[in-house]
Amino acid sequence: MIKFDHVTKSYEGGINAVKDVNFTVEKGNIVVLLGPSGCGKTTLLRMVNRLESITKGTINVNGQNSMELNEIDLRKKIGYVIQSNGLFPNMTIEDNVMIVPDLLGWSKKEKRERFYSLMGLIGLNADDYRKRYPNELSGGQQQRIGVARALAADPPVMLMDEPFGALDPIIREKIQDEFLHIQREVKKTILFVSHDIDEAIKMADKIVLMRGGEIMQFDTPSEMLAHPKNDFVSQFFGKDRAIKSLSLHTVKKLQDIIGLVEFDETIQDTKTINVNQDLRNTLSMLMNQEADQVIVTDDNGRQLGAITIDLVQKYLHFEIKGKPSVAQKG
Amino acid sequence: MQEWIRFLEVNSPRILELTIEHTMLVALAIIVALLIGVPLGIYLTTNEYLAGIVLQVASIILTIPSIALFGVMIPLFSLINQGIGYVPAFVALVLYSQLPIIRNTYTAIKNVNPEMRDAAIGVGMKTHQRLLRVEIPNALPVIMAGIRTAVVLNIGIGTIAAYIGAGGLGVLITQGIGRGDNYLIISGSLAVALLALFADGILLMIQKRYTRSNA
C-alpha cells in the first residue's frame, strides 16, 4: 500500500510542483498517474523512493512513513522500472536482473535460482540471456528485463516511470498484456506514470489525473470516462472518450447485460470474433465493414450469436446513462 | 646501410638501456599521475566550483613549454638538493599528465547517461557502489583515452628531460645535436616514436580487453 497524505513539493521561489496530494494505492492495485507534461506526475512518483524530497506531508509505504526509513533501505524494498536506458550496459543480463539481491547480499545459489524463476515469469529463456549484455537485446526484451529487475527481490511495491514509453505501439501493447498477466500472478502494489490515455485505461485499477501538480480526479478508468468531474478531465480524455471506454468492456459483458442477436446462416460473408475481445476492437471491426455479419464465438469456437453496431451503441448508452456507478474493469 | 648496421651493432646495448630508463621514468610518472588524477577527476564531478578551477590550472600547466617547466624545476628542487636529475623531471611529467587524465575522467563520469545514474540510485546503491559498479565501468573507455594521451605526451616530453640530466632517450638526441651526429639523432628519435606507438598499442589492447563498447 502507498498512502499519500497532503503531499506537497515546492521549489525555491515558491513554485509548487505537487500541491496537497491525497490518495491511496491499495495493496495489489495498479494506480496510473496520468496528465500532460509538467503536471508533476513523475515528480510525485519519484518522491515515493525519495529521488525527490518531500516538502510537506507524508508518504506511507506499507504502513511506514518513508521519511523514517533510511533511503537506501527504502529503495531496496521498492521495485523501480524506467525506460529502457535504465539497464546497466556494463553488466550481463543476469547481473542486471540480480542487482538488488546482490546489494542485499544474497548467496550465489539464491541469486541463480531467483534469476531462473524470474526469467520464466517474463517468458525469456534464462540460459540464452544470462551471459548477454543489454545492447544485444531489442527494446522489448530490454523492457522485460527491466521489469524482471524490479521484481528481483520481490518488493511489495513497484514504481514504474513510463516503462513502455520508448517502445513501438505493437510491442508496447504486447508487453502491456504480458505485464498484466504477470501482475495477476505477483499482485504488486504499483504506481505507474504514463502520458498515454489508452495505456492508463488499460493498465489502471484507478487513475490519478493531474494538472499543475494537483489531482483533477481520482477514479476507476470507466468512472472517469463516463463521469468526468470537470471540463479538464473531459477535455483530456477527448470527445471520443465513450469509444475509449469501450476498451474496458468485453463482448462477454455486453452479452451478459443486453444479449446478442441471432445470427443469420444464409449470409455468406461472415467474420468471427472471440467473446473475450474488447468492444473497442469489435466496434472498429464492425465499422470497417469487413464482413456482412460478425459472429461471436467462445474459446471452443462455439457460435454464440452475432453482434452489430446497434448493440454496441445500446450497451454504451446503458453503461453511461443507465447505471452510473456500476462500471467495472472488463 | 652498412654504416647503419655497424652503428646499431655498436650502440644497441646503449639504446636499449636508455629506452628502459625512459620507460621507467614515464611509467612511474604516469602511475603517480593516475593516483592523483583519477580520484581527483571523480571528486570534481561532485564539486562544480572546484572543477572549473582545477581544470583551468591543469590547462595552464600544459601550455607551459616543456623546456621552461624543466627550467623552473631546477631552482625549486635545488632547495632540497635535487635540482638536477631524476626528481624534477619526474615531477614535471606528473604535472603534464594531469590535464588529459583529470579532464577525461571528469568528462567521462559527467557524461554517464543520467537515466542510468538514476536507475543506480533508484535500486538503492550507495554513492561508492554507484561509482564502482556503474559510473566508472561505463566511463572507462574515455578515461583510458585520457591515459593513452598522457602516456604518448609524456614519452615525447620525456626526451627533453635529458637536458636536466634525467637520462632517457633524449640523451641520444642531445648528444647527436651536440656532435652533429645524424645517426644518433635519428636513432634516438626513432626509438622515442616506436616506444610511443608501442605503449599506445598495449594500452589500447588493455582497454579493449577490460571494457565493453556500449552501443
Side-chain angles (χ1 to χ4, degrees):
Chain A
M1 192 191 74
I2 312 170
K3 189 164 184 282
F4 293 83
D5 199 7
H6 297 286
V7 174
T8 296
K9 163 106 189 161
S10 338
Y11 291 112
E12 276 174 58
I15 301 155
N16 286 332
V18 172
K19 285 179 216 162
D20 196 34
V21 162
N22 295 290
F23 71 94
T24 301
V25 187
E26 297 295 345
K27 196 169 180 296
N29 271 11
I30 300 179
V31 168
V32 174
L33 296 172
L34 182 65
S37 319
C39 71
K41 54 190 192 293
T42 296
T43 308
L44 189 59
L45 178 106
R46 290 164 59 92
M47 285 161 86
V48 177
N49 62 358
R50 288 175 53 194
L51 291 172
E52 298 277 353
S53 63
I54 302 167
T55 312
K56 255 189 265 172
T58 55
I59 299 176
N60 270 277
V61 179
N62 291 318
Q64 250 180 318
N65 183 341
S66 66
M67 292 310 289
E68 283 164 10
L69 286 163
N70 172 299
E71 60 183 10
I72 299 292
D73 294 334
L74 174 77
R75 287 172 189 151
K76 285 179 193 160
K77 284 183 200 152
I78 298 177
Y80 185 47
V81 188
I82 59 177
Q83 284 190 13
S84 49
N85 282 335
L87 296 179
F88 305 127
N90 56 311
M91 296 183 196
T92 61
I93 296 304
E94 184 176 21
D95 289 343
N96 260 292
V97 173
M98 286 298 112
I99 188 74
V100 181
D102 193 47
L103 293 173
L104 290 169
W106 290 20
S107 75
K108 243 188 168 156
K109 189 163 163 286
E110 286 173 308
K111 283 191 282 186
R112 180 60 52 84
E113 279 170 11
R114 182 68 181 148
F115 177 70
Y116 275 78
S117 88
L118 277 168
M119 292 299 274
L121 186 69
I122 59 167
L124 293 177
N125 184 317
D127 289 315
D128 286 352
Y129 286 89
R130 206 160 64 80
K131 292 249 175 277
R132 293 171 76 182
Y133 286 86
N135 63 355
E136 299 167 27
L137 271 54
S138 71
Q141 289 164 337
Q142 289 186 16
Q143 213 48 61
R144 289 187 186 95
I145 298 296
V147 169
R149 182 174 70 185
L151 288 167
D154 204 18
V157 170
M158 278 176 54
L159 303 176
M160 304 180 80
D161 189 358
E162 304 210 13
F164 312 133
L167 304 174
D168 68 69
I170 296 168
I171 301 287
R172 190 189 309 155
E173 276 209 33
K174 193 162 171 278
I175 293 198
Q176 286 166 348
D177 290 335
E178 284 176 15
F179 183 73
L180 285 173
H181 190 77
I182 293 170
Q183 166 67 355
R184 276 199 284 278
E185 238 171 275
V186 297
K187 297 192 181 64
K188 299 294 175 194
T189 305
I190 297 170
L191 193 61
F192 189 114
V193 164
S194 179
H195 64 264
D196 176 350
I197 296 173
D198 294 321
E199 180 173 69
I201 292 170
K202 183 174 180 178
M203 307 300 287
D205 290 299
K206 281 188 166 183
I207 294 176
V208 173
L209 182 60
M210 295 180 69
R211 183 182 65 167
E214 285 176 286
I215 295 186
M216 291 288 111
Q217 189 165 352
F218 175 49
D219 249 320
T220 61
S222 55
E223 192 53 26
M224 206 173 269
L225 286 163
H227 302 104
K229 255 188 188 165
N230 55 40
D231 286 351
F232 174 76
V233 179
S234 63
Q235 271 167 21
F236 188 82
F237 283 103
K239 289 201 167 58
D240 60 342
R241 63 177 191 277
I243 294 173
K244 283 186 180 118
S245 73
L246 286 174
S247 59
L248 293 168
H249 304 273
T250 57
V251 178
K252 181 92 178 63
K253 272 192 77 188
L254 179 144
Q255 188 199 7
D256 289 348
I257 292 172
I258 57 174
L260 299 169
V261 293
E262 289 283 314
F263 59 88
D264 184 346
E265 285 188 43
T266 62
I267 297 175
Q268 290 294 312
D269 186 17
T270 61
K271 276 208 161 181
T272 56
I273 194 164
N274 186 284
V275 72
N276 291 318
Q277 185 64 256
D278 73 58
L279 286 178
R280 190 171 175 176
N281 284 337
T282 311
L283 185 65
S284 309
M285 199 170 160
L286 290 165
M287 302 210 353
N288 289 341
Q289 308 205 335
E290 289 165 17
D292 293 335
Q293 179 171 253
V294 175
I295 294 178
V296 179
T297 60
D298 66 11
D299 289 336
N300 302 320
R302 208 155 49 87
Q303 296 180 328
L304 303 170
I307 189 162
T308 63
I309 291 182
D310 278 355
L311 277 184
V312 177
Q313 197 188 7
K314 243 198 241 171
Y315 177 79
L316 204 57
H317 187 81
F318 181 74
E319 272 300 319
I320 294 174
K321 298 272 165 62
K323 27 170 215 160
S325 61
V326 79
Q328 299 252 311
K329 261 195 92 182
Chain B
M1 203 61 206
Q2 284 273 312
E3 279 179 65
W4 247 113
I5 293 167
R6 267 191 43 215
F7 173 86
L8 285 177
E9 267 173 10
V10 176
N11 287 289
S12 58
R14 181 146 175 268
I15 295 174
L16 192 68
E17 189 188 316
L18 289 172
T19 306
I20 292 170
E21 200 174 63
H22 200 97
T23 310
M24 293 304 284
L25 174 67
V26 171
L28 205 62
I30 287 289
I31 289 169
V32 172
L34 280 178
L35 293 176
I36 301 170
V38 173
L40 186 59
I42 293 169
Y43 170 73
L44 290 180
T45 59
T46 63
N47 189 335
E48 277 305 310
Y49 175 71
L50 198 62
I53 297 172
V54 170
L55 290 174
Q56 195 66 44
V57 170
S59 302
I60 291 169
I61 292 175
L62 200 61
T63 61
I64 302 173
S66 45
I67 193 109
L69 186 61
F70 285 122
V72 171
M73 290 292 154
I74 294 173
L76 274 178
F77 280 89
S78 295
L79 298 174
I80 53 164
N81 286 326
Q82 294 285 353
I84 274 180
Y86 191 80
V87 177
F90 168 79
V91 171
L93 290 184
V94 169
L95 286 175
Y96 272 125
S97 333
Q98 289 305 301
L99 182 68
I101 293 174
I102 297 175
R103 189 168 58 193
N104 279 46
T105 305
Y106 171 81
T107 313
I109 302 268
K110 272 273 160 189
N111 286 351
V112 165
N113 185 329
E115 283 183 38
M116 203 196 300
R117 181 177 293 128
D118 213 56
I121 301 171
V123 298
M125 286 191 197
K126 294 176 189 148
T127 310
H128 70 274
Q129 289 169 329
R130 192 182 81 220
L131 272 168
L132 289 175
R133 290 178 180 223
V134 178
E135 296 189 346
I136 294 176
N138 285 297
L140 213 51
V142 181
I143 297 178
M144 277 303 288
I147 297 171
R148 282 165 54 204
T149 310
V151 167
V152 173
L153 192 73
N154 271 3
I155 290 175
I157 293 175
T159 51
I160 312 288
Y163 279 108
I164 57 167
L169 288 166
V171 173
L172 293 177
I173 300 170
T174 49
Q175 282 180 359
I177 293 169
R179 297 178 195 163
D181 184 341
N182 285 338
Y183 287 126
L184 272 179
I185 298 175
I186 292 170
S187 53
S189 310
L190 259 173
V192 170
L194 287 174
L195 183 62
L197 284 172
F198 180 72
D200 194 51
I202 294 273
L203 288 169
L204 185 63
M205 266 171 56
I206 294 173
Q207 176 183 338
K208 289 207 167 140
R209 174 76 182 74
Y210 289 101
T211 61
R212 288 182 41 77
S213 59
N214 304 317

